[in-house]
Amino acid sequence: MACSCSPLFFVFLRKNLLYLRCNFLPLLCIFTGFIGVLTGYLHWSTKPVQHRLEEFEPKNEIVLKETYFPGNELDYIYYAPTSSNVEEIVDLLRLDLGIIPERLRAYNNSFEMQLDMEQQCRESCFAINFNQVPNRGSEGKFQFSLSSNQMRISPKKRYVNDEEINHQKDDDDYIRAGFLTLQHILDKQYMKYQELDKNYEVLVSSMPNLEVTSMDSHRLIYFGTLCSILFKVVLLSTFVVPFVEEKQNGLKEFLNLVTPMSFLNGLTFFLIRFVCYIALIIYVLVVGYVFKALGLICFAYVAVLFLLYILSTMSYAYLISVCFHSVFYAKIGGLVMLIIPYVFSFVRSWATSLAFVCFSTNAFLEGLDVFQTFSNKHREFGAADLFREIKYDSYRMFSVYFVLIFQSFLYALLYNYLGCVYPGPGGLKRPILFFLDFLYRLRVLMSVIIGHLTVSVTV
């Protein structure tokens, strides 16, 4: 078997190399266009780095109350539990904020307060739960908790400066929602209630930062996404269409009839293109590295992500080729099936998590997002970061690598199964559960072998 397999391997290898030779000019145009578009994009999107330090004007108490606190009549403030001390502090709070009494709603317990705010409030409302309020002139801790129906903060979520672009906003949700304003005024009025020295001034200002544009904050994602889309076009024209063309011409079924080693044709077809795609992507990554599109991420980690993506996507191309027996339909349907995974990248739901496992494109885009987050934080990506969860709703980089490898084997397994069940015109169709018969024969063979070994040992 080994002796007959080796010559046939080189025969099929030469056959597929001759195909590339005969189609050298079209392939050269496709690869040149791929490199040209990405290089042009990198050249166009590269701008001189600006090291100008931007300092924002601080905000005082008047600005916080007039600009960052809800002022509509339906913006209620709920508080609980009621007591004489609480009522006096809340009245001082109302006078300082300059709001009408109708905007304040008192409750006996915090459960009723939270329930009413969730069910009744349709605008921007706050709830104050007074846990401990000392009497006037007595020592003790003043403890309270604030909540809002407009501001949802998960204690598990890690907040990073990747969503909002520096130099464009000098505040955040904590300030914009009025949360900071209410907290400050409440502390100030408690000091007045206890007749403490309140002769101080509060200034709120953002941390000075370097100017960063939107393109810089998403540079790696844009570069990787464009590379992914263009690679799908290359894959369709140089992999899916030629492979379906062999099926349409009857060459695949002819090889199945003349030799049991016909799988070597598909293997050499795969290996030759895999080497070409690797050389293409490595060249593009080197160009991206020169144009600083990879940020602070080590070249090796990005290269591994791209190479695993190529391997998995080629296996996916094998899988979708089962659906087509005509080159015409392969061009149209293949493009649709290659583009469909991008739809799931626009939303965050259970379908996104499912697409991450099912489609190599979504796993690849998730890996780009992880790398971009590290780059935006001006942090280098090390081996220990492969297992780090950088954001609450993102995957670890090791998980991305593992899923891409898993998808490569899964697609290959499904292709071999569906290729036997739905071989196409002129092919030998096998039963849907044919693998069960194979497993039964394998078990019988193993039983016979074990029986012979047992007899030999006994003798």
Side-chain angles (χ1 to χ4, degrees), residues 8 16 20 42 64 70 108 142 203 230 244 255 395 439 444 458:
L8 281 177
N16 286 294
L20 296 182
L42 291 172
L64 290 177
N108 293 325
F142 178 50
L203 294 177
L230 294 177
V244 175
L255 293 176
Y395 295 89
L439 293 177
V444 172
T458 303

Side-chain angles (χ1 to χ4, degrees), residues 67-70 164 169-179:
T67 308
Y68 293 99
F69 193 77
E164 296 180 354
K169 294 183 178 180
D170 62 339
D171 52 23
D172 52 27
D173 289 342
Y174 182 65
I175 300 176
R176 285 194 296 270
F179 205 92

